[in-house]
Amino acid sequence: MNITYTNASTIKWWQALNPAIYLVSILPGVAVWLVAINPVSHLALWPATFAVVLLQHGVNLLNDAKDWQLGADTEKYDSWVHRHNGNVSIVFYHGLISLLTGGILGLLILVLHQQLWILGFALPLVILGIMYNAGRHPLSYTALGEWATALCYGPGVFGGLWFIAGQPFNWVALFGMAAFSAFSTALLFSHQPPQIETDRQAGKNSFAVRHGESMTYRVSTVLFITSLVLLVMACSESRNSLTMIIFILGAIAASMWITRVDPNPKRILLSATLVFLVSLPTIYL
């Protein structure tokens, strides 16, 4: 397949970076802060959240490189491959450096806070995230891709940050893990429909390729609403009634908006972020 790339001079670094997409890694940290039961160790939580952002950045770069090699996402004008003038090797090493930096930072935090036991479940999920794009047959090109995403962002990101922040394993932890499993999968599905044809041609067996545009948008909407319901349940277990009421109102408004439009990554991330922003001040009241 012949693929042309856009000259780097027309692609700004912030367009390739797409800062808003990193909210999927930041919001779990904010959620831990919102629904935490015990006092939160901010010195551990926020650096650990930044480490997750670096890991996501590395995975995003490897995803762009792998898609370019296999012929998927060719219509993605803001791909990092475009930014690097079609040099897939540079994109790969850029991603690898980001992964290593995030991994080292995360390990350092665990060592300093004497929480190396978290590696027992976090490390396999980091490896799973790398496998999402690794090899000739990456998980992202199979039906296992959405399950890998759910595991990495639910138990992996939210669960890891929850325990790093010094919180106990309880129902709130389980609600949070399930919420971000649903949220990340909703985000993944909302990204897929515009790429159905190129994904199919590249052999990418995504949910949208298997089930079509309409079904993918419906499932994405249901998963997004489910994630908000689960977070409401987490709030009801751990916070005051005002926090829960404000979060419920925000969740209802976000859900109503998403059901009126086809979900896409920016709409999902923006609406979820607004729900958190209006709810956070109430934890100090």
Side-chain angles (χ1 to χ4, degrees):
M1 179 182 298
N2 292 323
I3 305 174
T4 59
Y5 63 84
T6 304
N7 189 282
S9 62
T10 66
I11 303 295
K12 307 301 182 183
W13 69 266
W14 54 266
Q15 290 177 304
L17 183 65
N18 191 9
I21 201 66
Y22 294 94
L23 287 169
V24 71
S25 292
I26 296 171
L27 289 179
V30 177
V32 169
W33 188 18
L34 180 69
V35 304
I37 297 173
N38 298 333
V40 174
S41 174
H42 296 288
L43 291 177
L45 177 60
W46 301 123
T49 302
F50 180 63
V52 173
V53 170
L54 289 173
L55 291 172
Q56 181 195 349
H57 181 56
V59 170
N60 287 349
L61 283 153
L62 295 181
N63 186 60
D64 279 0
K66 179 58 67 173
D67 282 340
W68 186 268
Q69 289 176 329
L70 297 179
D73 271 7
T74 54
E75 74 288 345
K76 186 179 178 181
Y77 80 95
D78 55 355
S79 167
W80 279 102
V81 181
H82 288 305
R83 177 59 189 168
H84 290 299
N85 287 322
N87 193 323
V88 179
S89 295
I90 293 179
V91 179
F92 173 79
Y93 287 116
H94 182 172
L96 187 60
I97 290 171
S98 184
L99 282 174
L100 289 174
T101 304
I104 291 171
L105 176 59
L107 181 60
L108 180 61
I109 293 167
L110 295 181
V111 170
L112 290 176
H113 292 269
Q114 300 181 346
Q115 295 175 308
L116 281 174
W117 64 269
I118 294 176
L119 282 178
F121 74 90
L123 185 58
L125 292 174
V126 170
I127 295 173
L128 182 65
I130 294 173
M131 290 175 60
Y132 189 79
N133 296 297
R136 295 183 178 180
H137 304 286
L139 291 178
S140 61
Y141 280 69
T142 72
L144 295 176
E146 53 254 32
W147 295 101
T149 298
L151 285 172
C152 287
Y153 278 97
V157 175
F158 180 87
L161 294 176
W162 179 261
F163 294 126
I164 285 173
Q167 303 304 304
F169 181 69
N170 54 17
W171 284 108
V172 179
L174 291 175
F175 288 146
M177 291 179 196
F180 280 96
S181 289
F183 181 78
S184 60
T185 309
L187 190 65
L188 174 67
F189 286 174
S190 72
H191 169 76
Q192 292 178 352
Q195 303 163 350
I196 288 177
E197 290 307 316
T198 53
D199 282 353
R200 183 180 288 116
Q201 292 170 14
K204 192 171 187 178
N205 196 26
S206 67
F207 187 90
V209 169
R210 301 195 311 271
H211 300 286
E213 177 180 307
S214 297
M215 175 64 76
T216 303
Y217 279 136
R218 285 198 297 271
V219 174
S220 177
T221 300
V222 170
L223 286 172
F224 174 69
I225 295 173
T226 299
S227 71
L228 294 179
V229 171
L230 288 165
L231 286 172
V232 167
M233 295 170 69
C235 286
S236 69
E237 291 287 332
S238 62
R239 283 295 175 187
N240 59 51
S241 57
L242 179 59
T243 300
M244 185 175 67
I245 291 172
I246 296 300
F247 196 95
I248 289 174
L249 292 175
I252 291 173
S255 299
M256 290 178 63
W257 182 55
I258 289 296
T259 57
R260 288 176 173 269
V261 296
D262 286 336
N264 64 33
K266 289 185 178 179
R267 288 169 179 166
I268 286 178
L269 288 168
L270 175 62
S271 55
T273 300
L274 289 176
V275 173
F276 280 106
L277 287 178
V278 299
S279 303
L280 278 174
T282 65
I283 69 177
Y284 297 106
L285 299 179

